[in-house]
Amino acid sequence: MKQTGVQDVSRQLQSAVFSSGLTTKLICLFCIIGYFLSYSPQCVRILAVIPGRVMPPNFWIWTFVTHSFIELHIWHTIIDVIVVFLYSKMIEPLWGTKELLRFYFIVTIPNALFATCIYFLFYGFTFKEEYLFERPIYGLAAFIGAYSVVIKQIMPDTVLATTPFFKLKQDQVPLLIILISIGLWFAHAVPIHFLIMLSFGIVISWTYLRFFQNHQNGTKGDIFFPSPIAPIISILANTIFGLFVQLKLCKPFVKKYNVASSSGLTITIPGPDAADADRRRQKALKALNDRMKAKETVNESWPDLDEPSQSPFIDPAQNSSITIDMSNLDEPTSGATKEDLNQPFFDTEQQQQQSS
């Protein structure tokens, strides 16, 4: 079983490597090169983000671009390469190389800025200069977290693992990796900036996909949180959206009413493209079919009260119908006795008893 799973992952990884686009291969190549460069403390100092050196008079602002390619541990590099290859195999054909590259910089650069600000806050509370000069910010954790949100949007109902207690679906991965990273941080397996970058990468990815990503039909944004937590998420989402509207980074949603439609009132709002709409339509049809099947099962379990009772002495297959010709009752029956008139009835009854 374990060997089969490893072989399956190996085949998928080989397929992803050969079928991936240029952007994916460049990101993974730079990650591998960055790992070998991390053996030099001078390279780490120049390529990773050091909060105290991005401020004047140094202005090492190029580190906001190069920091994501630096990893100090081999297992971090292996995880980064595997996740980027496997996820990009599904994302890059849908988005294209240009959109994927833009998404990479949208996630990593603001994430480095945010982590730098967090380190400045740590320094303000603790007055420890190690947060300014001795704790570099590096790694691809932000992009990994962002990828989990993208795959959640594309395949939310995909079952990744099945256990006797629950099923792990793709839409549960972002929250799961945050919980795992918190546990790893408490165990001192990852530094604090890993948790910061992973969490904020998920937030940046969700914000971009929700409000800014352009779709083929000219609309922007998408909604992909499951319905049980949608009311909770809507509080944060509405706050972020209201802030973006005030800053004129987003346009408010405008509802359009088509009163002239012959089929009734049609409401058009900005939303996902045709692929996203079809995904939701299929999901709604599947839920409706499940409900109809459950209702039919309940109805079949109850007996039919209108079912006529049958005689235990007559075979139902033979007692399908009995036709009595009464057209000759009104004709004169000269010379016929009462026994003659009743003779056909008794013959029929006798035939039924013999057949039974």
Side-chain angles (χ1 to χ4, degrees):
M1 181 67 70
K2 292 182 179 179
Q3 293 181 354
T4 303
V6 173
Q7 292 176 356
D8 185 47
V9 173
S10 177
R11 285 194 299 267
Q12 292 183 7
L13 184 58
Q14 291 179 2
S15 175
V17 170
F18 289 109
S19 63
S20 60
L22 179 60
T23 300
T24 303
K25 291 178 180 177
L26 288 177
I27 292 174
C28 294
L29 177 62
F30 287 147
C31 286
I32 296 173
I33 295 175
Y35 169 72
F36 288 107
L37 291 177
S38 66
Y39 285 97
S40 172
Q42 185 66 21
C43 290
V44 175
R45 179 171 173 269
I46 295 175
L47 299 177
V49 174
I50 299 177
R53 299 191 182 277
V54 297
M55 300 296 292
N58 296 306
F59 282 115
W60 287 10
I61 57 176
W62 68 83
T63 57
F64 291 132
V65 178
T66 60
H67 77 283
S68 59
F69 303 125
I70 300 297
E71 286 288 2
L72 303 183
H73 304 284
I74 184 62
W75 66 280
H76 285 174
T77 306
I78 293 174
I79 293 175
D80 293 344
V81 171
I82 291 176
V83 172
V84 170
F85 266 127
L86 293 179
Y87 279 4
S88 296
K89 179 183 176 181
M90 296 175 283
I91 297 173
E92 193 167 4
L94 297 176
W95 287 9
T97 301
K98 183 179 179 180
E99 174 65 17
L100 182 61
L101 185 62
R102 179 170 61 179
F103 179 73
Y104 172 80
F105 288 116
I106 287 175
V107 170
T108 56
I109 295 177
N111 199 291
L113 290 170
F114 178 79
T116 301
C117 294
I118 294 295
Y119 271 29
F120 279 129
L121 291 177
F122 289 164
Y123 170 75
F125 287 118
T126 62
F127 294 103
K128 294 181 179 180
E129 293 186 357
E130 61 178 294
Y131 289 108
L132 298 181
F133 299 103
E134 299 178 9
R135 294 197 177 187
I137 299 171
Y138 58 89
L140 209 61
F143 197 56
I144 301 302
Y147 258 11
S148 68
V149 180
V150 177
I151 298 299
K152 175 187 183 306
Q153 179 195 35
I154 297 175
M155 302 183 303
D157 297 327
T158 303
V159 178
L160 300 178
T162 303
T163 66
F165 304 99
F166 65 93
K167 292 182 179 180
L168 178 61
K169 294 185 177 181
Q170 186 65 57
D171 59 354
Q172 301 169 342
V173 171
L175 179 60
L176 179 63
I177 61 176
I178 289 179
L179 296 177
I180 292 176
S181 62
I182 292 175
L184 293 175
W185 175 63
F186 276 113
H188 300 285
V190 295
I192 184 62
H193 77 267
F194 181 90
L195 176 59
I196 296 173
M197 295 174 67
L198 181 71
S199 303
F200 196 64
I202 292 175
V203 174
I204 293 177
S205 177
W206 171 79
T207 304
Y208 174 73
L209 297 175
R210 176 65 184 90
F211 299 115
F212 295 103
Q213 188 182 41
N214 294 317
H215 297 275
Q216 296 177 356
N217 60 356
T219 59
K220 293 183 178 181
D222 191 12
I223 302 173
F224 48 87
F225 278 101
S227 55
I229 65 173
I232 301 175
I233 298 299
S234 63
I235 300 175
L236 176 62
N238 294 333
T239 303
I240 296 176
F241 178 69
L243 177 62
F244 286 160
V245 171
Q246 294 295 329
L247 297 176
K248 297 183 179 181
L249 297 176
C250 287
K251 295 181 180 180
F253 287 162
V254 178
K255 295 182 180 180
K256 299 177 182 179
Y257 300 91
N258 187 6
V259 184
S261 178
S262 59
S263 61
L265 186 62
T266 303
I267 302 175
T268 303
I269 61 174
D273 58 7
D276 298 327
D278 182 70
R279 171 168 56 85
R280 284 170 175 75
R281 193 180 302 111
Q282 295 296 332
K283 187 175 180 179
L285 290 175
K286 183 178 181 299
L288 181 60
N289 291 333
D290 294 340
R291 292 182 181 179
M292 294 298 295
K293 290 180 181 179
K295 186 176 180 180
E296 291 176 358
T297 304
V298 174
N299 291 338
E300 291 177 357
S301 62
W302 287 91
D304 190 0
L305 298 180
D306 296 334
E307 183 179 358
S309 58
Q310 298 178 351
S311 173
F313 302 100
I314 300 176
D315 188 2
Q318 298 179 2
N319 191 23
S320 58
S321 64
I322 298 175
T323 304
I324 300 176
D325 187 5
M326 301 183 65
S327 61
N328 298 325
L329 293 180
D330 296 335
E331 298 180 359
T333 56
S334 59
T337 63
K338 182 176 180 181
E339 289 78 9
D340 294 329
L341 293 174
N342 294 333
Q343 186 65 32
F345 173 76
F346 290 128
D347 292 341
T348 303
E349 187 178 39
Q350 291 174 0
Q351 292 175 2
Q352 292 179 356
Q353 291 179 355
Q354 292 176 0
S355 62
S356 62

